[in-house]
Amino acid sequence: METLLLAESTAESLKGVINALCEPAPFFIISCIALIVFLVGYRTFTRPAVALTIGAAFTLFYIISAFDPNFAAIIKKPDNVPITIMMFSVGFCTWVAFRQAAINDERMERGEPLIEAGSDDKVLVWPDLVYTELIALTLCTAVLIVWAILLRAPLEQPADPSVAPNPAKAPWYFLGLQELLVYFDPWIAGVLLPGLIIVGLIALPYIDRNPRGNGYYTFKERPFVISTFMFGWVILWVVLIVFGTFLRGPNWNFFGPYEFWDLHRLAALLNVNVADIFWVRWMGRGLPDDWMLRELPGVFLMGGYFFILPVLLAFTVLRKIYRQVGLIRYAIAVMLLLWMALVPIKMLARWTLDMHYFLAVTEYFFNI
Amino acid sequence: MGSYLPLVIVLAAGGVGTVVLVLFGGAILTWVREGQVWNSVFRHGIPRDRRTRAMAVLSNVFLHLHPVAVRKSGIRLSFTWCMGGLTFFLFLAEVVTGVLLMFYYRPVVEYAYVDIQNMRAKVISMGLMREIHRWGAHAMVISIWLHMLRVFLTGSYKPPREFNWTVGVILLVLTLLLSFTGYLLPWDQLAMWAITVGSNMARATPLLGHEGPLASFLKIDGVPLVHAGSDARFGLLAGTFVGPNALLRFYVLHCVFFPVIVSVLIAVHFWRIRKDGGISGPL
Ligand code: HEM
């Protein structure tokens, strides 16, 4: 009896620790560190034994977590099941890719042929490819049918414009964008940033002029582009979806994965703008009435970020890239990168400094 | 006894058929394959040797998506993960189940929800079709992301495949829009509020949304051009809220507009794979 109580209280305190680690700032920073550690040590972490251990540990953690009623309530929602599937398949596919990259990179160092080598050997489409496709098609059909029999598609109460659910969530694949709404105005979170994602993806082949790593898995030959892409994809897309699914509850408040979604919890909102910090805190006076004067610090900050920083970078850290791609490509690439970097910067500023807007021309809905 | 008669007949016919097939199957097959009907459809022999196997692919409009021979490295499962193919297959599954669902669904506020309910209650197979349609849609979103991930990590967007990558990005956007427009159709709370949250963003489009930056500058004689009844969200929803017009609009976009564009772009995508030299590989 006593040991049972002891076990229960340890479990509870463990849950408390995990809930605390899942606060936005720690969760985000831990994810970033995990990604960096993975990319630095990709050769070690993708070894089958190591990867299997990590995968098994995560699966075990996930299964044990499912015994918690609050966590179970989230993952059992039918429309959240795809998110579980996505997390595991993203993990698995990332492993498959980086494992082959590690092998290829080692082989290139030793001057051996790549996994993909022998590309001139051809096989006939009938039967080799057609049969593979047939098998894939059959398996996929079977999986879909079994999935459809086991899990019913959700159908909630009929639509009612007068009863808003709390929280009201976008479809799961847009939850990352919805999370951005916390930190940015809708025109940035909902229009500009998605637009930039699309533009950035389309621009990628025209910006990335590195001719190597075309048609085979490698990390060593294109570390910068791959790291940037993985940061955008894993952290800013997948992790934010996880935020939105597991950690956002009523009133879009943050809740730990094992916390009860309390409708009445109030979150303190003490957000400040750069203008407040500059004029009130540092200058010790009230905000100027004229918005142009008021926002001068913000204009300097954002102007420096978007217009002076690129020039500095071109002469220092990104010098090689600037030389390689030329002025126009560099300008486009650096703008995309700076917008991408602004997302985590703003998030961290919000969590640590309660930052609301760097630049707040509320008069014209123009706030960053 | 009488009521069992059909069963007996069916079983007997089946039994006789099986025996005939087992005994004379080979002979029948040869007879069919030598006949005029078969040869009018398939203009090649049984795909047994190099030539007939090549013909099997060349003379079939669907298999003709493929070249006759492909690089070995390109079709290894660990290279492509078959993700593009899976995305394509899921799209086909969505089209088939989607057309079936259209027989039972009316995009009108009074009927939409009830129709979905009735599918499950009255036509069991339709309930299953709806399940497959919904999970297939989710699966397609995941598989298209993973397909993009593999194309990125193998550097397959690099020359000469830049344009096909662009086509792919547009397909990605359209797939998400397909999923998004379909989300509204069951007309339940989940649907209505997810679309409300999603479409509210359009309000804030710069210049074109009535709560977006710069929109207030668009005026004629002091009358604002962009207001709740004329902005981007209004164009999307055909109204200022998610109501009957939005349902009809999303239905048409979901069932006709986007699928047609996606089909065309998939054709372009596949065509370009061949024109760009097949699946990428080390030079
Ligand atoms: C409806 C969506 C899509 C379908 C049905 C589709 C289908 C396919 C298929 C069957 C292949 C052959 C190789 C493979 O399976 O990996 C392929 C290759 C390719 N896909 Fe897609 N795809 C889609 C979306 C995308 C997206 C979103 C991108 C990128 C943003 C993309 C970029 C490419 C490129 C560049 C290739 C050539 C890869 C190579 O040569 O190695 N596709 N696609």
Side-chain angles (χ1 to χ4, degrees):
Chain A
M1 193 61 208
E2 234 166 63
T3 45
L4 205 64
L5 277 180
L6 191 68
E8 216 161 83
S9 70
T10 350
E12 282 311 312
S13 51
L14 200 63
K15 280 186 192 173
V17 172
I18 294 176
N19 280 337
L21 286 180
C22 287
E23 290 272 314
F27 190 85
F28 190 80
I29 294 170
I30 292 172
S31 314
C32 292
I33 294 176
L35 180 68
I36 294 171
V37 169
F38 173 76
L39 289 178
V40 171
Y42 70 107
R43 297 190 191 192
T44 317
F45 290 112
T46 53
R47 288 215 187 100
V50 183
L52 197 68
T53 315
I54 299 175
F58 181 73
T59 313
L60 196 69
F61 171 72
Y62 208 80
I63 292 175
I64 294 177
S65 294
F67 285 100
D68 177 87
N70 296 308
F71 189 77
I74 300 175
I75 59 171
K76 273 194 195 144
K77 269 190 81 177
D79 262 12
N80 285 348
V81 170
I83 299 177
T84 302
I85 296 178
M86 177 194 69
M87 288 198 304
F88 281 92
S89 53
V90 165
F92 180 75
C93 288
T94 308
W95 170 69
V96 171
F98 277 84
R99 172 70 187 155
Q100 293 180 83
I103 295 175
N104 271 344
D105 289 345
E106 270 165 24
R107 287 191 183 182
M108 276 186 278
E109 277 157 22
R110 280 183 266 135
E112 290 167 14
L114 300 169
I115 309 174
E116 292 87 354
S119 57
D120 288 336
D121 307 349
K122 292 219 169 179
V123 292
L124 282 178
V125 162
W126 187 298
D128 287 86
L129 183 52
V130 177
Y131 276 58
T132 315
E133 286 171 344
L134 188 70
I135 294 167
L137 195 147
T138 316
L139 277 180
C140 182
T141 316
V143 169
L144 265 185
I145 291 176
V146 171
W147 188 359
I149 291 174
L150 291 183
L151 196 68
R152 284 195 146 196
L155 189 65
E156 297 187 352
Q157 293 302 308
D160 183 351
S162 59
V163 185
N166 188 4
K169 291 190 177 184
W172 64 271
Y173 35 83
F174 287 150
L175 281 180
L177 297 176
Q178 197 178 358
E179 177 67 19
L180 292 183
L181 275 175
V182 177
Y183 313 97
F184 294 97
D185 276 4
W187 74 274
I188 298 186
V191 185
L192 185 71
L193 289 174
L196 286 177
I197 297 173
I198 298 168
V199 171
L201 283 174
I202 291 180
L204 173 66
Y206 305 97
I207 295 173
D208 174 13
R209 303 285 288 167
N210 177 1
R212 291 196 292 175
N214 182 346
Y216 52 93
Y217 289 102
T218 173
F219 179 61
K220 207 181 150 206
E221 292 196 324
R222 22 193 304 247
F224 180 72
V225 174
I226 292 187
S227 307
T228 314
F229 186 92
M230 291 305 280
F231 179 76
W233 156 240
V234 176
I235 305 288
L236 296 184
W237 192 257
V238 175
V239 166
L240 289 195
I241 288 177
V242 171
F243 263 40
T245 314
F246 294 100
L247 308 175
R248 287 293 184 186
N251 308 323
W252 213 247
N253 280 333
F254 238 92
F255 289 86
Y258 313 120
E259 252 180 294
F260 176 67
W261 280 11
D262 182 0
L263 274 172
H264 304 292
R265 192 164 87 174
L266 292 177
L269 280 178
L270 292 168
N271 291 336
V272 291
N273 296 340
V274 163
D276 298 316
I277 295 181
F278 182 82
W279 296 112
V280 183
R281 257 188 234 167
W282 292 355
M283 293 289 132
R285 49 164 288 185
L287 286 177
D289 288 332
D290 182 5
W291 69 263
M292 288 198 201
L293 183 61
R294 186 192 69 211
E295 291 309 322
L296 219 51
V299 170
F300 268 106
L301 197 65
M302 286 293 103
Y305 182 74
F306 280 112
F307 299 108
I308 301 182
L309 191 62
V311 181
L312 292 181
L313 289 175
F315 285 110
T316 53
V317 193
L318 300 181
R319 196 192 179 112
K320 243 175 68 189
I321 293 181
Y322 177 69
R323 289 249 180 86
Q324 197 184 9
V325 302
L327 179 64
I328 295 179
R329 287 196 170 86
Y330 176 78
I332 296 173
V334 100
M335 273 304 141
L336 291 166
L337 284 177
L338 286 176
W339 271 107
M340 180 169 160
L342 193 64
V343 173
I345 291 175
K346 184 83 189 272
M347 293 168 87
L348 289 172
R350 172 68 54 84
W351 297 325
T352 54
L353 307 169
D354 291 324
M355 179 64 63
H356 195 36
Y357 293 126
F358 293 125
L359 175 66
V361 192
T362 339
E363 289 80 356
Y364 295 101
F365 294 120
F366 189 87
N367 312 308
I368 298 175
Chain B
M1 181 63 203
S3 60
Y4 286 107
L5 200 59
L7 187 69
V8 173
I9 292 175
V10 168
L11 283 181
V16 172
T18 313
V19 170
V20 169
L21 265 188
V22 167
L23 290 182
F24 308 108
I28 295 175
L29 208 62
T30 323
W31 179 72
V32 168
R33 277 188 162 154
E34 282 167 2
Q36 186 188 356
V37 176
W38 179 274
N39 281 298
S40 69
V41 181
F42 301 105
R43 307 209 152 180
H44 53 80
I46 303 159
R48 271 201 199 114
D49 52 21
R50 243 194 111 79
R51 199 187 67 84
T52 40
R53 281 175 171 172
M55 286 300 291
V57 174
L58 272 178
S59 61
N60 180 308
V61 67
F62 301 109
L63 293 180
H64 189 60
L65 277 176
H66 298 302
V68 167
V70 286
R71 279 195 220 101
K72 217 174 187 163
S73 71
I75 61 166
R76 271 178 36 246
L77 201 57
S78 53
F79 188 72
T80 64
W81 314 339
C82 206
M83 272 304 160
L86 216 56
T87 312
F88 181 50
F89 172 66
L90 286 167
F91 178 70
L92 291 182
E94 291 299 289
V95 171
V96 172
T97 51
V99 167
L100 289 173
L101 292 178
M102 282 172 77
F103 286 127
Y104 291 84
Y105 174 84
R106 287 163 289 181
V108 188
V109 172
E110 290 77 25
Y111 295 129
Y113 182 79
V114 187
D115 282 349
I116 300 269
Q117 257 181 339
N118 282 349
M119 269 176 207
R120 192 178 271 157
K122 302 212 174 120
V123 201
I124 296 176
S125 60
M126 271 302 123
L128 201 61
M129 285 305 133
R130 172 168 182 244
E131 255 90 56
I132 296 180
H133 195 72
R134 192 173 187 101
W135 302 138
H138 287 317
M140 188 176 165
V141 170
I142 298 174
S143 74
I144 196 172
W145 288 353
L146 293 175
H147 172 55
M148 186 173 92
L149 182 69
R150 102 84 189 141
V151 171
F152 172 80
L153 286 174
T154 54
S156 305
Y157 59 86
K158 300 190 176 204
R161 297 182 179 79
E162 310 99 307
F163 178 70
N164 215 13
W165 168 268
T166 307
V167 174
V169 175
I170 299 171
L171 276 170
L172 171 73
V173 175
L174 289 173
T175 301
L176 291 179
L177 287 177
L178 258 176
S179 211
F180 185 68
T181 46
Y183 216 83
L184 182 63
L185 302 185
W187 204 246
D188 61 347
Q189 281 289 71
L190 195 63
M192 159 171 266
W193 289 97
I195 303 307
T196 303
V197 169
S199 58
N200 269 348
M201 310 259 187
R203 256 197 317 218
T205 317
L207 278 179
L208 300 179
H210 76 282
E211 286 178 11
L214 306 181
S216 53
F217 288 118
L218 295 182
K219 283 182 193 158
I220 294 178
D221 293 339
V223 182
L225 276 180
V226 180
H227 51 83
S230 74
D231 68 346
R233 191 181 55 143
F234 191 89
L236 186 69
L237 299 180
T240 51
F241 60 97
V242 179
N245 293 347
L247 181 59
L248 183 59
R249 188 157 288 200
F250 273 46
Y251 175 77
V252 175
L253 289 174
H254 183 75
C255 300
V256 183
F257 189 74
F258 289 136
V260 168
I261 300 190
V262 167
S263 308
V264 172
L265 283 180
I266 288 181
V268 176
H269 196 58
F270 288 172
W271 171 254
R272 285 299 293 231
I273 296 175
R274 290 194 58 178
K275 291 293 143 183
D276 295 340
I279 308 284
S280 61
L283 301 172

